[in-house]
mmCIF file of all heavy atoms in Angstrom:
data_model
loop_
_atom_site.group_PDB
_atom_site.id
_atom_site.type_symbol
_atom_site.label_atom_id
_atom_site.label_comp_id
_atom_site.label_asym_id
_atom_site.label_seq_id
_atom_site.Cartn_x
_atom_site.Cartn_y
_atom_site.Cartn_z
ATOM 1 N N GLY A 1 90.511 46.685 122.285
ATOM 2 C CA GLY A 1 90.807 48.121 122.258
ATOM 3 C C GLY A 1 89.750 48.991 122.770
ATOM 4 O O GLY A 1 89.779 50.213 122.488
ATOM 5 N N PHE A 2 88.749 48.499 123.426
ATOM 6 C CA PHE A 2 87.645 49.296 123.865
ATOM 7 C C PHE A 2 87.962 50.010 125.185
ATOM 8 O O PHE A 2 87.383 51.135 125.469
ATOM 9 C CB PHE A 2 86.421 48.483 124.088
ATOM 10 C CG PHE A 2 85.882 47.862 122.755
ATOM 11 C CD1 PHE A 2 86.037 46.520 122.555
ATOM 12 C CD2 PHE A 2 85.269 48.608 121.873
ATOM 13 C CE1 PHE A 2 85.595 45.961 121.365
ATOM 14 C CE2 PHE A 2 84.781 48.083 120.674
ATOM 15 C CZ PHE A 2 85.021 46.742 120.348
ATOM 16 N N LEU A 3 88.795 49.459 126.043
ATOM 17 C CA LEU A 3 89.202 50.061 127.280
ATOM 18 C C LEU A 3 90.420 49.324 127.797
ATOM 19 O O LEU A 3 90.847 48.329 127.295
ATOM 20 C CB LEU A 3 88.077 49.948 128.390
ATOM 21 C CG LEU A 3 87.776 48.606 129.031
ATOM 22 C CD1 LEU A 3 86.799 48.805 130.140
ATOM 23 C CD2 LEU A 3 87.255 47.603 128.080
ATOM 24 N N THR A 4 91.065 49.991 128.835
ATOM 25 C CA THR A 4 92.248 49.386 129.390
ATOM 26 C C THR A 4 91.867 48.312 130.434
ATOM 27 O O THR A 4 90.709 48.349 131.007
ATOM 28 C CB THR A 4 93.119 50.440 130.075
ATOM 29 O OG1 THR A 4 92.381 51.085 131.197
ATOM 30 C CG2 THR A 4 93.491 51.518 129.063
ATOM 31 N N SER A 5 92.792 47.484 130.841
ATOM 32 C CA SER A 5 92.543 46.469 131.773
ATOM 33 C C SER A 5 92.221 47.089 133.159
ATOM 34 O O SER A 5 91.378 46.633 133.905
ATOM 35 C CB SER A 5 93.767 45.540 131.942
ATOM 36 O OG SER A 5 93.565 44.616 132.994
ATOM 37 N N THR A 6 92.917 48.245 133.446
ATOM 38 C CA THR A 6 92.651 48.927 134.749
ATOM 39 C C THR A 6 91.229 49.446 134.840
ATOM 40 O O THR A 6 90.524 49.347 135.864
ATOM 41 C CB THR A 6 93.636 50.064 134.939
ATOM 42 O OG1 THR A 6 95.006 49.613 134.871
ATOM 43 C CG2 THR A 6 93.411 50.834 136.234
ATOM 44 N N ASP A 7 90.723 50.048 133.671
ATOM 45 C CA ASP A 7 89.401 50.567 133.629
ATOM 46 C C ASP A 7 88.390 49.417 133.861
ATOM 47 O O ASP A 7 87.332 49.519 134.582
ATOM 48 C CB ASP A 7 89.053 51.279 132.340
ATOM 49 C CG ASP A 7 89.717 52.618 132.233
ATOM 50 O OD1 ASP A 7 90.099 53.201 133.299
ATOM 51 O OD2 ASP A 7 89.994 53.105 131.104
ATOM 52 N N PHE A 8 88.602 48.238 133.226
ATOM 53 C CA PHE A 8 87.684 47.144 133.329
ATOM 54 C C PHE A 8 87.580 46.661 134.736
ATOM 55 O O PHE A 8 86.531 46.389 135.280
ATOM 56 C CB PHE A 8 88.066 46.043 132.344
ATOM 57 C CG PHE A 8 87.033 44.930 132.243
ATOM 58 C CD1 PHE A 8 86.005 45.001 131.317
ATOM 59 C CD2 PHE A 8 87.115 43.843 133.029
ATOM 60 C CE1 PHE A 8 85.079 43.970 131.215
ATOM 61 C CE2 PHE A 8 86.199 42.773 132.945
ATOM 62 C CZ PHE A 8 85.165 42.914 132.040
ATOM 63 N N ILE A 9 88.760 46.457 135.424
ATOM 64 C CA ILE A 9 88.823 45.942 136.747
ATOM 65 C C ILE A 9 88.228 46.912 137.674
ATOM 66 O O ILE A 9 87.463 46.550 138.644
ATOM 67 C CB ILE A 9 90.278 45.607 137.128
ATOM 68 C CG1 ILE A 9 90.798 44.412 136.292
ATOM 69 C CG2 ILE A 9 90.368 45.342 138.630
ATOM 70 C CD1 ILE A 9 92.191 44.138 136.482
ATOM 71 N N ASN A 10 88.399 48.270 137.505
ATOM 72 C CA ASN A 10 87.800 49.262 138.307
ATOM 73 C C ASN A 10 86.279 49.212 138.170
ATOM 74 O O ASN A 10 85.521 49.373 139.217
ATOM 75 C CB ASN A 10 88.273 50.657 137.923
ATOM 76 C CG ASN A 10 89.682 50.938 138.339
ATOM 77 O OD1 ASN A 10 90.215 50.288 139.308
ATOM 78 N ND2 ASN A 10 90.360 51.916 137.718
ATOM 79 N N GLY A 11 85.805 48.887 136.984
ATOM 80 C CA GLY A 11 84.337 48.793 136.791
ATOM 81 C C GLY A 11 83.797 47.527 137.526
ATOM 82 O O GLY A 11 82.665 47.573 138.051
ATOM 83 N N LEU A 12 84.588 46.484 137.473
ATOM 84 C CA LEU A 12 84.147 45.266 138.198
ATOM 85 C C LEU A 12 83.965 45.473 139.707
ATOM 86 O O LEU A 12 83.109 44.965 140.378
ATOM 87 C CB LEU A 12 85.130 44.126 137.995
ATOM 88 C CG LEU A 12 85.270 43.519 136.608
ATOM 89 C CD1 LEU A 12 86.309 42.394 136.572
ATOM 90 C CD2 LEU A 12 83.870 43.016 136.057
ATOM 91 N N GLN A 13 84.877 46.269 140.264
ATOM 92 C CA GLN A 13 84.853 46.539 141.724
ATOM 93 C C GLN A 13 83.921 47.636 142.147
ATOM 94 O O GLN A 13 83.556 47.727 143.295
ATOM 95 C CB GLN A 13 86.269 46.931 142.187
ATOM 96 C CG GLN A 13 87.303 45.790 141.950
ATOM 97 C CD GLN A 13 88.707 46.249 142.246
ATOM 98 O OE1 GLN A 13 88.988 47.394 142.257
ATOM 99 N NE2 GLN A 13 89.607 45.268 142.532
ATOM 100 N N GLU A 14 83.407 48.421 141.155
ATOM 101 C CA GLU A 14 82.575 49.604 141.486
ATOM 102 C C GLU A 14 81.171 49.207 142.000
ATOM 103 O O GLU A 14 80.502 48.428 141.349
ATOM 104 C CB GLU A 14 82.471 50.450 140.248
ATOM 105 C CG GLU A 14 81.705 51.764 140.471
ATOM 106 C CD GLU A 14 81.653 52.659 139.213
ATOM 107 O OE1 GLU A 14 82.410 52.318 138.254
ATOM 108 O OE2 GLU A 14 80.828 53.573 139.148
ATOM 109 N N ASP A 15 80.755 49.716 143.186
ATOM 110 C CA ASP A 15 79.411 49.523 143.698
ATOM 111 C C ASP A 15 79.044 48.053 143.791
ATOM 112 O O ASP A 15 77.908 47.695 143.440
ATOM 113 C CB ASP A 15 78.414 50.326 142.901
ATOM 114 C CG ASP A 15 78.575 51.811 143.028
ATOM 115 O OD1 ASP A 15 79.023 52.198 144.054
ATOM 116 O OD2 ASP A 15 78.206 52.493 142.115
ATOM 117 N N PHE A 16 79.962 47.120 144.127
ATOM 118 C CA PHE A 16 79.687 45.721 144.188
ATOM 119 C C PHE A 16 78.746 45.435 145.345
ATOM 120 O O PHE A 16 79.108 45.853 146.495
ATOM 121 C CB PHE A 16 80.951 44.885 144.254
ATOM 122 C CG PHE A 16 80.699 43.384 144.433
ATOM 123 C CD1 PHE A 16 80.121 42.660 143.384
ATOM 124 C CD2 PHE A 16 81.026 42.816 145.597
ATOM 125 C CE1 PHE A 16 79.884 41.321 143.551
ATOM 126 C CE2 PHE A 16 80.777 41.437 145.725
ATOM 127 C CZ PHE A 16 80.228 40.702 144.647
ATOM 128 N N ILE A 17 77.681 44.654 145.178
ATOM 129 C CA ILE A 17 76.741 44.342 146.211
ATOM 130 C C ILE A 17 76.786 42.804 146.318
ATOM 131 O O ILE A 17 76.338 42.126 145.460
ATOM 132 C CB ILE A 17 75.298 44.827 145.890
ATOM 133 C CG1 ILE A 17 75.275 46.308 145.671
ATOM 134 C CG2 ILE A 17 74.318 44.425 147.014
ATOM 135 C CD1 ILE A 17 73.961 46.919 145.256
ATOM 136 N N PRO A 18 77.358 42.259 147.412
ATOM 137 C CA PRO A 18 77.432 40.821 147.568
ATOM 138 C C PRO A 18 76.103 40.110 147.457
ATOM 139 O O PRO A 18 76.018 38.939 147.079
ATOM 140 C CB PRO A 18 78.091 40.640 149.036
ATOM 141 C CG PRO A 18 78.773 41.948 149.180
ATOM 142 C CD PRO A 18 77.983 43.018 148.552
ATOM 143 N N PHE A 19 75.034 40.794 147.868
ATOM 144 C CA PHE A 19 73.689 40.124 147.829
ATOM 145 C C PHE A 19 73.341 39.701 146.418
ATOM 146 O O PHE A 19 72.584 38.780 146.286
ATOM 147 C CB PHE A 19 72.630 41.042 148.382
ATOM 148 C CG PHE A 19 71.218 40.498 148.273
ATOM 149 C CD1 PHE A 19 70.784 39.469 149.162
ATOM 150 C CD2 PHE A 19 70.343 40.977 147.368
ATOM 151 C CE1 PHE A 19 69.518 38.915 149.024
ATOM 152 C CE2 PHE A 19 69.083 40.468 147.227
ATOM 153 C CZ PHE A 19 68.657 39.407 148.038
ATOM 154 N N HIS A 20 73.844 40.380 145.428
ATOM 155 C CA HIS A 20 73.515 40.009 144.063
ATOM 156 C C HIS A 20 74.042 38.634 143.693
ATOM 157 O O HIS A 20 73.331 37.867 142.996
ATOM 158 C CB HIS A 20 74.124 41.031 143.082
ATOM 159 C CG HIS A 20 73.458 42.349 143.114
ATOM 160 N ND1 HIS A 20 73.893 43.448 142.459
ATOM 161 C CD2 HIS A 20 72.219 42.700 143.599
ATOM 162 C CE1 HIS A 20 73.047 44.472 142.566
ATOM 163 N NE2 HIS A 20 72.066 44.076 143.286
ATOM 164 N N VAL A 21 75.153 38.242 144.279
ATOM 165 C CA VAL A 21 75.668 36.869 144.090
ATOM 166 C C VAL A 21 74.766 35.873 144.787
ATOM 167 O O VAL A 21 74.452 34.810 144.215
ATOM 168 C CB VAL A 21 77.121 36.720 144.564
ATOM 169 C CG1 VAL A 21 77.605 35.309 144.411
ATOM 170 C CG2 VAL A 21 78.036 37.732 143.857
ATOM 171 N N GLY A 22 74.321 36.199 146.014
ATOM 172 C CA GLY A 22 73.376 35.355 146.711
ATOM 173 C C GLY A 22 72.059 35.172 145.992
ATOM 174 O O GLY A 22 71.458 34.107 145.921
ATOM 175 N N TYR A 23 71.620 36.317 145.381
ATOM 176 C CA TYR A 23 70.366 36.248 144.598
ATOM 177 C C TYR A 23 70.536 35.370 143.344
ATOM 178 O O TYR A 23 69.599 34.554 143.107
ATOM 179 C CB TYR A 23 70.032 37.720 144.120
ATOM 180 C CG TYR A 23 69.203 37.855 142.904
ATOM 181 C CD1 TYR A 23 67.807 37.613 142.914
ATOM 182 C CD2 TYR A 23 69.832 38.181 141.726
ATOM 183 C CE1 TYR A 23 67.063 37.748 141.772
ATOM 184 C CE2 TYR A 23 69.081 38.258 140.547
ATOM 185 C CZ TYR A 23 67.726 38.100 140.566
ATOM 186 O OH TYR A 23 66.906 38.175 139.428
ATOM 187 N N ALA A 24 71.653 35.429 142.754
ATOM 188 C CA ALA A 24 71.903 34.569 141.571
ATOM 189 C C ALA A 24 71.897 33.067 141.936
ATOM 190 O O ALA A 24 71.361 32.270 141.248
ATOM 191 C CB ALA A 24 73.171 34.980 140.899
ATOM 192 N N PHE A 25 72.519 32.792 143.092
ATOM 193 C CA PHE A 25 72.587 31.374 143.522
ATOM 194 C C PHE A 25 71.237 30.888 144.015
ATOM 195 O O PHE A 25 70.948 29.693 143.893
ATOM 196 C CB PHE A 25 73.697 31.158 144.578
ATOM 197 C CG PHE A 25 75.074 31.143 143.981
ATOM 198 C CD1 PHE A 25 76.099 31.985 144.563
ATOM 199 C CD2 PHE A 25 75.370 30.299 142.883
ATOM 200 C CE1 PHE A 25 77.353 31.953 144.035
ATOM 201 C CE2 PHE A 25 76.688 30.351 142.377
ATOM 202 C CZ PHE A 25 77.664 31.095 142.923
ATOM 203 N N THR A 26 70.462 31.753 144.626
ATOM 204 C CA THR A 26 69.138 31.375 145.021
ATOM 205 C C THR A 26 68.329 30.960 143.839
ATOM 206 O O THR A 26 67.622 29.962 143.805
ATOM 207 C CB THR A 26 68.461 32.543 145.770
ATOM 208 O OG1 THR A 26 69.174 32.889 146.919
ATOM 209 C CG2 THR A 26 67.008 32.148 146.129
ATOM 210 N N LYS A 27 68.392 31.755 142.759
ATOM 211 C CA LYS A 27 67.649 31.431 141.524
ATOM 212 C C LYS A 27 68.206 30.108 141.006
ATOM 213 O O LYS A 27 67.434 29.305 140.533
ATOM 214 C CB LYS A 27 67.831 32.559 140.455
ATOM 215 C CG LYS A 27 67.205 33.824 140.741
ATOM 216 C CD LYS A 27 67.011 34.630 139.457
ATOM 217 C CE LYS A 27 68.341 34.985 138.798
ATOM 218 N NZ LYS A 27 68.094 35.773 137.536
ATOM 219 N N THR A 28 69.491 29.918 140.990
ATOM 220 C CA THR A 28 70.109 28.735 140.462
ATOM 221 C C THR A 28 69.661 27.486 141.124
ATOM 222 O O THR A 28 69.358 26.498 140.530
ATOM 223 C CB THR A 28 71.682 28.823 140.528
ATOM 224 O OG1 THR A 28 72.067 30.014 139.843
ATOM 225 C CG2 THR A 28 72.307 27.683 139.873
ATOM 226 N N PHE A 29 69.514 27.475 142.440
ATOM 227 C CA PHE A 29 69.032 26.301 143.158
ATOM 228 C C PHE A 29 67.611 25.951 142.745
ATOM 229 O O PHE A 29 67.328 24.784 142.513
ATOM 230 C CB PHE A 29 69.102 26.526 144.681
ATOM 231 C CG PHE A 29 70.427 26.279 145.284
ATOM 232 C CD1 PHE A 29 71.226 27.203 145.857
ATOM 233 C CD2 PHE A 29 70.918 24.905 145.451
ATOM 234 C CE1 PHE A 29 72.425 26.953 146.461
ATOM 235 C CE2 PHE A 29 72.081 24.634 145.984
ATOM 236 C CZ PHE A 29 72.844 25.605 146.497
ATOM 237 N N LEU A 30 66.798 26.937 142.619
ATOM 238 C CA LEU A 30 65.347 26.665 142.171
ATOM 239 C C LEU A 30 65.334 26.159 140.751
ATOM 240 O O LEU A 30 64.544 25.303 140.407
ATOM 241 C CB LEU A 30 64.513 27.862 142.434
ATOM 242 C CG LEU A 30 64.217 28.308 143.864
ATOM 243 C CD1 LEU A 30 63.509 29.630 143.899
ATOM 244 C CD2 LEU A 30 63.466 27.170 144.585
ATOM 245 N N PHE A 31 66.135 26.821 139.891
ATOM 246 C CA PHE A 31 66.222 26.376 138.512
ATOM 247 C C PHE A 31 66.676 24.951 138.436
ATOM 248 O O PHE A 31 66.249 24.167 137.576
ATOM 249 C CB PHE A 31 67.152 27.316 137.693
ATOM 250 C CG PHE A 31 66.654 28.682 137.534
ATOM 251 C CD1 PHE A 31 67.505 29.732 137.134
ATOM 252 C CD2 PHE A 31 65.368 29.004 137.767
ATOM 253 C CE1 PHE A 31 67.082 31.011 136.963
ATOM 254 C CE2 PHE A 31 64.843 30.329 137.615
ATOM 255 C CZ PHE A 31 65.691 31.313 137.214
#
């Protein structure tokens, strides 16, 4: 009951930077 599904999905899509996923996978390979 903290927020609606629409609000959560809008937040997921807001200012998404694909490089952040690449950064996470770069770390993962080294880890």
Side-chain angles (χ1 to χ4, degrees):
F2 297 105
L3 76 171
T4 65
S5 178
T6 302
D7 286 337
F8 189 88
I9 293 173
N10 288 338
L12 291 181
Q13 298 173 338
E14 185 177 345
D15 293 332
F16 176 67
I17 302 175
F19 176 72
H20 286 170
V21 178
Y23 155 79
F25 283 130
T26 300
K27 290 200 302 183
T28 301
F29 273 113
L30 290 176
F31 293 165

